[in-house]
Structure formats: C-alpha cells, structure tokens
Amino acid sequence: MEQNVGAPVVFTTEMIKDAMNLWRDKIVNDIDYVVGLFENKAAFYYTKQTVADSVEVHMYPGIYDRELYFFVIPDKYDNSAYSADFNRYTQPCKVNLVLGGNEISSLVAMQRMNAWKNNYRTWLPQQSLTTDGVFQVFAVDQIDFAEGSNKVNMALNATLGNTTGFLADLITYDTAQATKVYEDFTKAIPPMPASALITNFYLLTL
C-alpha cells in the first residue's frame, strides 16, 4: 500500500523544527495559505509503532517544501531527554489523501469528516482569531491504532459553546479491515488538557 508518498527518507531534527515553526507562523499570519494546504487532501497514512510505556502519540502539523505533514512521535520520546535526536522516533506523514477502543459509528465518523470537507475553508480563518487559535498538535491514544497501516482523517466535531461551532478532530481506521471500525480518542491542543504539562509536549517548546 502506498504510504507517505514524497516524504524524504530522513527528516533531521532541524527540518522538523523548521516545519513545525512554519506551521505556527502561518496559522497566525497567513491563514489563507493554511487553507490552501488542505485543498483536495485531508488524510494520511500512519503505521503504528509499538513502544513500551507509551500511552499516546503526539501528531504535530508542519509545512515542508510547501506540503503539509504530521510528525508523529510516541509520548515517551516527546521530552527534552530526546532533544538531540527526536527525529529518530518521529514518523513523518504527508497529508496527500482524500477523506475516506472508543469506537464511533460510521454515521458519526462520516458526519465529522464531511464537516471538515464542507467547512474547513471558513473554520480555519475563524478559529485562527479565537483565543486558542488553530491546533498545533493532536494527542491520540495508542489504542486508537491497529497494528500496521492506519488511515488518519481530518474532521470537525460540532461542539456547543465553542466560538466557531466546531472542534478540530482526527478519526482513524484500520485499512486492513474489510469493515471499517472508526476510532476517536483525539485531543486537539491548544487548549492544553488540564491533566497535561507543557513538558509532556516538548516539541511545542521548540
């Protein structure tokens, strides 16, 4: 199966830092550019990494060579102890696919994925003006992922009380299953979960 087409063989720590910082700059200063990154593509493949003592993975958006990536790192390695070589534990996933545990129904999954497809052009600019701004990382429970290849889809979850009416979301499913089982344990950051410390998301500080 084709996965992460076009991703360089090796991303250095500096390349990842630059890509994440470019995302953070664009979501504040050039949101139209960010909207354009999602034209006709809102999903990517991620191959699960089984890591002892790792509860979740952190998915950081970044921009490299005018393309959108998610840099996926197990939480075990997302700390200053791995500052020199965190790239060794990071899987670069290029967003280049159309849309396709705590299981959710296919109806709910499709509603959320279609909400992204139908609203991202207006939601991103609106969200960029809010206190929290646009997502800078997603925390996803390891149990969301099957062994092997998983498709990860952008989504929006309709949320009462939120200024823009939606919260950013990711929905995953195992590409090997004949019947898709959709999973949703995702936390978009910001805002930082009350139980989390910024030191648990080291790459946010770079």
Side-chain angles (χ1 to χ4, degrees):
M1 179 175 292
E2 184 180 30
Q3 297 188 32
N4 304 332
V5 177
V9 175
V10 176
F11 267 88
T12 66
T13 56
E14 287 302 316
M15 289 166 65
I16 295 174
K17 286 164 59 176
D18 289 345
M20 293 189 302
N21 282 323
L22 184 55
W23 168 265
R24 294 165 192 164
D25 174 70
K26 292 296 185 181
I27 61 175
V28 174
N29 298 312
D30 193 356
I31 196 64
D32 289 339
Y33 180 92
V34 175
V35 171
L37 293 172
F38 288 102
E39 287 293 335
N40 301 315
K41 47 192 174 184
F44 57 90
Y45 286 120
Y46 163 67
T47 301
K48 183 177 180 178
Q49 302 165 288
T50 301
V51 178
D53 303 321
S54 183
V55 176
E56 60 187 19
V57 295
H58 298 162
M59 296 184 162
Y60 291 88
I63 302 168
Y64 174 78
D65 195 23
R66 299 181 297 280
E67 297 283 356
L68 178 61
Y69 286 78
F70 277 87
F71 297 96
V72 185
I73 184 170
D75 59 348
K76 177 179 179 178
Y77 304 117
D78 195 359
N79 60 72
S80 59
Y82 297 92
S83 60
D85 60 351
F86 65 81
N87 61 308
R88 292 178 52 198
Y89 310 99
T90 303
Q91 186 178 149
C93 301
K94 186 177 180 180
V95 179
N96 60 356
L97 301 167
V98 295
L99 284 172
N102 182 27
E103 298 175 8
I104 59 175
S105 70
S106 58
L107 175 61
V108 172
M110 293 307 300
Q111 287 175 338
R112 294 183 186 179
M113 290 188 289
N114 284 331
W116 175 270
K117 179 180 178 180
N118 296 329
N119 296 284
Y120 76 90
R121 292 181 182 87
T122 54
W123 179 82
L124 282 164
Q126 291 171 0
Q127 185 64 28
S128 71
L129 300 176
T130 65
T131 300
D132 291 329
V134 176
F135 53 86
Q136 297 184 38
V137 59
F138 288 93
V140 188
D141 286 348
Q142 288 277 20
I143 58 175
D144 244 7
F145 300 106
E147 297 298 331
S149 178
N150 295 265
K151 189 175 182 181
V152 184
N153 303 268
M154 296 301 304
L156 287 175
N157 187 359
T159 307
L160 291 175
N162 193 59
T163 305
T164 60
F166 294 102
L167 291 176
D169 197 7
L170 293 178
I171 292 175
T172 73
Y173 67 83
D174 179 1
T175 59
Q177 289 182 329
T179 301
K180 295 182 178 65
V181 178
Y182 296 91
E183 305 277 357
D184 183 28
F185 275 96
T186 305
K187 298 183 287 288
I189 299 169
M192 185 69 70
S195 60
L197 300 174
I198 190 64
T199 52
N200 295 335
F201 295 87
Y202 172 69
L203 271 60
L204 276 180
T205 68
L206 300 179

